[in-house]
């Protein structure tokens, strides 16, 4: 039976640590043949730069063959159902299909109709498990353990699949998670919440900033992004010389989510996350397919 990754909860802690062991070895960026003869299909129904290219590079570095399906030119544009598309692709014998979709739950549903592995590259506002794993990996590189650490997630949390995956993983690995944002961006939760970014920074060991996902808003929530930034932009004035790490899953709205000065700061791990994303996705592919 094929293994899938549609939600972070599908992986036990020891399985995550095994993936991270692989990922550490893959940080050298060397080409390998671990998945030689395997076929990976990327099918993205939403725009993506980092995740799609990261999966393609990860698969190729492991020696796999990669097919990127152009959704705009596929039969889905002619009215073919998502399930028929998946069934037809599965009939071609891939070892894994990496799927991103704007509807929550699509990867999980597809996993019931195919023989190959399904990997969730983001589904609606539900989950982004590979981003959550690379965020966890990046922090464990710095700290070895999240026990006793406080991590604040800032921004449009209600609409963020990244936040959902990060919250589940960080909490499971022992971190105290605080959610920061305006009331309309905060979900109903048992976690501590605050509207005061300054106070959150004072007690945090790391800050995860999120993009304001205006495409998921039914109604305007701020007069402008600049208006939002007045209270929730991470600046050098706020972080001062504090021992803290700044992260963002991308794409970053410069000088809205994080200002330019902080993005250049050595405490900012945004590009490190991108680098680690390839290695972690290599680890995921090897774990699921080898």
């Amino acid at each position: 039976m094929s293994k899938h990754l549609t939600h972070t909860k599908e992986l036990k802690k020891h399985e995550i640590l095994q993936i991270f062991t692989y990922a550490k070895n893959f940080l050298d960026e060397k080409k390998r043949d671990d998945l030689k003869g395997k076929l990976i299909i990327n099918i993205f129904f939403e725009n993506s730069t980092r995740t799609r290219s990261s999966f393609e590079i990860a698969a190729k570095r492991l020696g796999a063959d990669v097919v990127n399906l152009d959704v705009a030119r596929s039969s889905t544009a002619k009215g073919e159902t998502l399930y028929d598309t998946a069934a037809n692709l599965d009939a071609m014998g891939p070892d894994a299909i990496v799927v991103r979709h704007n509807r929550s739950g699509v990867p999980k549903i597809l996993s019931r109709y195919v023989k190959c592995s399904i990997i969730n590259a983001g589904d609606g506002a539900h989950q982004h498990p590979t981003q959550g794993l690379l965020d966890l990996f990046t922090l464990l590189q710095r700290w070895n353990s999240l026990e006793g650490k406080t991590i604040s997630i800032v921004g449009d949390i209600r609409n963020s699949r990244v936040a959902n995956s990060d919250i589940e993983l960080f909490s499971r690995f022992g971190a105290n998670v605080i959610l920061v944002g305006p009331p309309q961006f905060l979900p109903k939760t048992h976690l501590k919440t605050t509207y005061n970014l300054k106070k959150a920074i004072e007690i945090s060991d790391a800050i995860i900033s999120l993009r304001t996902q205006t495409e998921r808003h039914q109604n305007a929530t701020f007069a402008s992004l600049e208006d939002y930034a007045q209270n929730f932009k991470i600046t050098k004035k706020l972080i001062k010389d504090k021992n803290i790490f700044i992260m963002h899953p991308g794409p970053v709205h410069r000088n809205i989510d994080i200002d330019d000065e902080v993005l250049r700061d050595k405490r900012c791990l945004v590009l490190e996350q991108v680098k680690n994303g390839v290695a972690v996705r290599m680890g995921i592919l090897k774990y699921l397919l080898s």
Side-chain angles (χ1 to χ4, degrees):
M1 178 180 284
S2 296
K3 291 183 285 189
H4 307 289
L5 177 55
T6 65
H7 194 294
T8 52
K9 289 181 180 179
E10 292 173 343
L11 293 173
K12 295 181 174 66
K13 193 170 182 178
H14 73 87
E15 293 175 309
I16 293 171
L17 295 176
Q18 179 61 65
I19 289 169
F20 288 176
T21 298
Y22 292 146
K24 288 176 185 176
N25 293 330
F26 295 148
L27 286 170
D28 60 13
E29 301 181 354
K30 292 180 180 178
K31 294 198 71 172
R32 292 165 163 81
D33 61 0
D34 299 59
L35 298 185
K36 186 176 181 180
K38 301 288 187 181
L39 174 61
I40 316 295
I41 296 178
N42 290 326
I43 176 168
F44 280 58
F45 292 88
E46 281 188 322
N47 293 334
S48 171
T49 299
R50 278 155 302 280
T51 305
R52 178 170 170 169
S53 57
S54 181
F55 265 113
E56 183 173 359
I57 292 167
K60 288 182 175 178
R61 280 192 186 159
L62 289 171
D65 296 316
V66 182
V67 172
N68 291 310
L69 183 67
D70 186 344
V71 174
R73 298 182 181 180
S74 73
S75 291
T76 55
K78 301 176 183 178
E80 183 176 72
T81 68
L82 177 63
Y83 310 111
D84 286 333
T85 298
N88 279 277
L89 291 174
D90 190 53
M92 298 176 192
D95 297 279
I97 297 175
V98 180
V99 61
R100 169 172 286 192
H101 204 279
N102 60 5
R103 282 166 44 205
S104 298
V106 164
K108 182 67 174 179
I109 293 169
L110 291 183
S111 70
R112 300 170 184 157
Y113 290 87
V114 299
K115 300 182 185 71
C116 66
S117 293
I118 292 288
I119 301 173
N120 181 0
D123 61 328
H126 178 231
Q127 275 280 307
H128 197 341
T130 66
Q131 181 69 46
L133 287 167
L134 76 88
D135 289 347
L136 175 63
F137 180 81
T138 300
L139 289 174
L140 287 176
Q141 278 184 312
R142 300 290 177 143
W143 293 332
N144 295 319
S145 172
L146 267 61
E147 293 287 344
K149 299 295 185 181
T150 297
I151 303 170
S152 286
I153 301 177
V154 182
D156 192 2
I157 297 161
R158 183 192 296 270
N159 294 292
S160 175
R161 54 194 172 208
V162 174
N164 289 335
S165 293
D166 279 353
I167 289 166
E168 197 279 323
L169 287 170
F170 296 165
S171 300
R172 199 179 348 157
F173 276 74
N176 174 40
V177 179
I178 300 173
L179 307 184
V180 186
Q184 63 269 36
F185 283 4
L186 296 177
K188 293 181 180 179
T189 178
H190 66 282
L191 298 171
K192 181 178 179 180
T193 63
T194 180
Y195 316 141
N196 193 317
L197 177 58
K198 184 175 182 291
K199 287 185 177 179
I201 287 173
E202 288 172 356
I203 60 174
S204 295
D205 300 289
I207 294 278
I208 311 265
S209 176
L210 301 172
R211 176 177 67 87
T212 301
Q213 301 190 50
T214 52
E215 73 275 13
R216 300 193 194 281
H217 296 174
Q218 293 182 344
N219 301 299
T221 54
F222 279 92
S224 67
L225 289 177
E226 288 74 15
D227 186 39
Y228 162 83
Q230 290 296 316
N231 295 312
F232 299 101
K233 177 173 64 177
I234 299 172
T235 65
K236 194 68 177 283
K237 183 179 179 181
L238 283 174
I239 65 173
K240 300 178 182 177
D241 295 321
K242 181 176 173 59
N243 183 17
I244 192 171
F245 294 120
I246 310 299
M247 298 168 63
H248 195 296
V252 179
H253 284 155
R254 280 180 174 266
N255 300 308
I256 300 295
D257 307 329
I258 306 173
D259 73 13
D260 286 338
E261 192 176 9
V262 173
L263 286 169
R264 293 190 297 267
D265 194 287
K266 65 181 181 180
R267 293 167 291 178
C268 181
L269 307 182
V270 170
L271 293 181
E272 195 169 313
Q273 289 172 269
V274 176
K275 175 183 172 66
N276 288 341
V278 176
V280 169
R281 288 178 176 116
M282 288 174 73
I284 291 166
L285 288 171
K286 180 175 173 63
Y287 174 74
L288 293 177
L289 303 183
S290 65

